[in-house]
Amino acid sequence: MFSMRKGNQYLTLYLASCLFFISNCQSTSSTSSKHHCLPDQSSALLLLKQEFEEGMSSEPVVYYPGNYPKMKSWKAKVDCCSWDGVTCNNKTGQVVGLNLGNSWLSGILNPNSSLFSLHHLQKLNLSMNGFIFSTIPSSFSQLVRLSHLDLSYSNFTGQIPSEISWLTKLISLDLSNFDLHLKGKDLEAISKNMTNMRELHLDHVNISSSVPQALVNLSSLTSLSLSDCSLFGEFPRNVFLLPKLQAIVLSRNVLLIGFLPEFPSRSSLRVLDLYSTNFSGKLPNSFGNLESLNVLNLHNASFSGELPNSIGHIEPLNFLDLDYNHFSGQIPSSIGNLSQLTSLSLSFNNFNGQPPSTLGNLAKLNFISLQSINLHGKIPSFLNNLTQLEFLYLSYNNFEGGFPTSLTNLTKLREIYISRCQLKGPIPSEISTLPQLYTFDLSDNSLSGAIPSLLFTMPSLEKLRLDQNQLTAPLKFKNISSSPLWVLSLGGNALGKMELKIFFDLKHLLYLDLSVFSTLDLIGYYYMSKNYHMPASYWVNAHWTQASSFFYSAHIVHGFLLQESKSLK
Ligand SMILES: *[C@@H]1O[C@H](CO)[C@@H](O)[C@H](O)[C@H]1NC(C)=O
Ligand SMILES: *[C@@H]1O[C@H](CO)[C@@H](O)[C@H](O)[C@H]1NC(C)=O
Ligand SMILES: *[C@@H]1O[C@H](CO)[C@@H](O)[C@H](O)[C@H]1NC(C)=O
Ligand SMILES: *[C@@H]1O[C@H](CO)[C@@H](O)[C@H](O)[C@H]1NC(C)=O
Ligand SMILES: *[C@@H]1O[C@H](CO)[C@@H](O)[C@H](O)[C@H]1NC(C)=O
Ligand SMILES: *[C@@H]1O[C@H](CO)[C@@H](O)[C@H](O)[C@H]1NC(C)=O
Ligand SMILES: *[C@@H]1O[C@H](CO)[C@@H](O)[C@H](O)[C@H]1NC(C)=O
Ligand SMILES: *[C@@H]1O[C@H](CO)[C@@H](O)[C@H](O)[C@H]1NC(C)=O
Ligand SMILES: *[C@@H]1O[C@H](CO)[C@@H](O)[C@H](O)[C@H]1NC(C)=O
Ligand SMILES: *[C@@H]1O[C@H](CO)[C@@H](O)[C@H](O)[C@H]1NC(C)=O
Ligand SMILES: *[C@@H]1O[C@H](CO)[C@@H](O)[C@H](O)[C@H]1NC(C)=O
Ligand SMILES: *[C@@H]1O[C@H](CO)[C@@H](O)[C@H](O)[C@H]1NC(C)=O
């Protein structure tokens, strides 16, 4: 026993020295001119390691690839140029790159940290660490050779020091963080000083200012991301015309005003994201010149006018979201040319007329949302073509006719929302053949007939909302105990007499709505309440439907009815 252990120790030592030797051999043989780490660089790095030693012993909450304490492996006797995350200049041996992104650094980064003595650093990545809400030291301005600096999501807080703008060689700067502030004048200084800037990412940094005109001069800019920065005023329109720009994200700046320019041909823009801004005006006719665009997100802005036909020229478009604007006129049939589209959202606009049947050509569509856009007539038959569809949102329209059985051919459907649409007739029981259906919402229509009992045996259906129709109770309930339903809303129907006890078999039910317009008989309640007394901690708050002045409802936990009858007035 004892000797075996000793043997193992020897083996470990032997292997370790082998590995050390091999790696030494390799590095000297393959690149014989390679310089080793300079002693001052090595000791600066080891001091940096010491500064954060304590934090590294605790483990991060979330694990994913690339997430480990890179500094742990740094050893004094090993050439620092071979340390994890360290890059040296081939010729001089100076440390020029330090990639400690996602490396469990935890603690305060002091202004006197030995990091700031690594004057040759060109690339520095400290993103996704935990600097326990300390401020960004102005000492960063000493690293004058920096071309790349990433301090994103590292739990820094407070004001970003003005001295950052002295780093005139920066071509990539990411300070995205939830708790930082940047002065408007410092953003201007950054824009004026860092003339070679390619990537500027300041998401969630509270800037609370207008956007400096100087951004227009950053002619090398490829990616600009200023999401959720509390920006206001008018965005300088010519930024969109920067020749190398590939991504521009200005989302979540609700006070930011702006307009799109006419776009020249062969624009390199791939991502245009103006989600929740106050950009307005029309999409220009030249919009189709954005021939590289993959992602267009204009959700919740203030655009109006007709969509230009040219939008159908943007062949690579994959994601198109125009929800919550004031677009009007016909939906152009050219949208049917966007064969790469996987997600199409046109909801809550003022379109009129029917959507063009060419949408049936969008064979890759996985998500379609056409809510509240004045649709009438039958549910469009082009939908039958969309065999990849998982999410179908058609609520708040004025359809005539029934729920088309043909939709049950779209076997990938996971969510169907067609509420408030004046649908008539029965719910086809074929719905129960959809193996992945998770949400089925046909509330507030004029549907009639019996609720298909097969809905209660579907393997994936968790949310079923059929309230405010003229449906009658299911004819028979059988084998419903394996149903994963936890939201069941049947109020405002013509259910007739029916024992509540029936629902107790739904083991996962948390929310049952049987509001006042239903004539449900409550025999079951009294029976159950006499026999079961659940501890208060098991109670779950219902999400009350407030459609009526008072209603009956029920809280059900683990299949047991606990309370019903509540009056609101
Ligand atoms: C080392 O220098 C050579 C030639 O200058 C270059 O090709 C190589 O990419 C450099 N290696 C590193 C790691 O910088
Ligand atoms: C910095 O490191 C993080 C985490 O490893 C990585 O996600 C990010 O892309 C890196 N930043 C840059 C600019 O390469
Ligand atoms: C660096 O600053 C911190 C906090 O001000 C201080 O505690 C520490 O002793 C300083 N370290 C050195 C090496 O000066
Ligand atoms: C940063 O702070 C948030 C809380 O605001 C915390 O959830 C997260 O774990 C912190 N990240 C790190 C890397 O410490
Ligand atoms: C630009 O950088 C220089 C140092 O390189 C600095 O002196 C100057 O103040 C900076 N300009 C602005 C507007 O910050
Ligand atoms: C941003 O900072 C300003 C003060 O500079 C403050 O009034 C505002 O509430 C902050 N915005 C957010 C979203 O935190
Ligand atoms: C842009 O650069 C030009 C020439 O370098 C300069 O004249 C102009 O003032 C700059 N514009 C802004 C807004 O900084
Ligand atoms: C959006 O901008 C317009 C002026 O262009 C203004 O009338 C409107 O109030 C703004 N809306 C918001 C939410 O700021
Ligand atoms: C839409 O924009 C308004 C301001 O115009 C904002 O209050 C609201 O939160 C935004 N909604 C979403 C879903 O982003
Ligand atoms: C759409 O494609 C058809 C051919 O499939 C073509 O004739 C038409 O010009 C295209 N429309 C647009 C706007 O790209
Ligand atoms: C359905 O797709 C086929 C090609 O897959 C196409 O020929 C047909 O026109 C489409 N139907 C509709 C209604 O869009
Ligand atoms: C459903 O698909 C089958 C074959 O896949 C087809 O025969 C049938 O006509 C389709 N039903 C409807 C209503 O489209």
Side-chain angles (χ1 to χ4, degrees), residues 509-541:
L509 203 59
L510 287 178
Y511 169 40
L512 175 64
D513 172 36
L514 305 162
S515 60
V516 69
F517 298 114
S518 97
T519 52
L520 190 92
D521 200 288
L522 292 169
I523 317 164
Y525 163 65
Y526 298 105
Y527 167 73
M528 293 303 286
S529 63
K530 260 203 302 218
N531 290 284
Y532 295 94
H533 296 282
M534 303 293 288
S537 60
Y538 277 69
W539 289 41
V540 171
N541 283 330

Side-chain angles (χ1 to χ4, degrees), residues 252-255 275-278 299-302 324:
R252 298 170 204 265
N253 288 291
V254 294
L255 298 178
Y275 180 107
S276 280
T277 60
N278 197 6
H299 188 106
N300 197 27
S302 300
Y324 293 99

Side-chain angles (χ1 to χ4, degrees), residues 357-363 381-383 385:
S357 62
T358 55
L359 297 188
N361 293 324
L362 302 175
S381 60
F382 71 77
L383 292 169
N385 251 18

Side-chain angles (χ1 to χ4, degrees), residues 440-498:
F440 189 43
D441 185 346
L442 297 183
S443 58
D444 209 348
N445 281 291
S446 302
L447 295 162
S448 54
I451 296 170
S453 42
L454 287 173
L455 293 178
F456 297 86
T457 54
M458 289 175 69
S460 301
L461 193 64
E462 295 193 20
K463 298 184 185 179
L464 176 60
R465 304 197 55 135
L466 300 173
D467 51 282
Q468 317 309 327
N469 280 289
Q470 285 122 47
L471 295 161
T472 58
L475 298 180
K476 56 179 192 306
F477 264 133
K478 244 201 244 160
N479 304 328
I480 68 173
S481 59
S482 62
S483 166
L485 271 176
W486 62 273
V487 174
L488 179 57
S489 184
L490 300 177
N493 278 295
L495 298 182
K497 275 202 183 224
M498 172 178 187

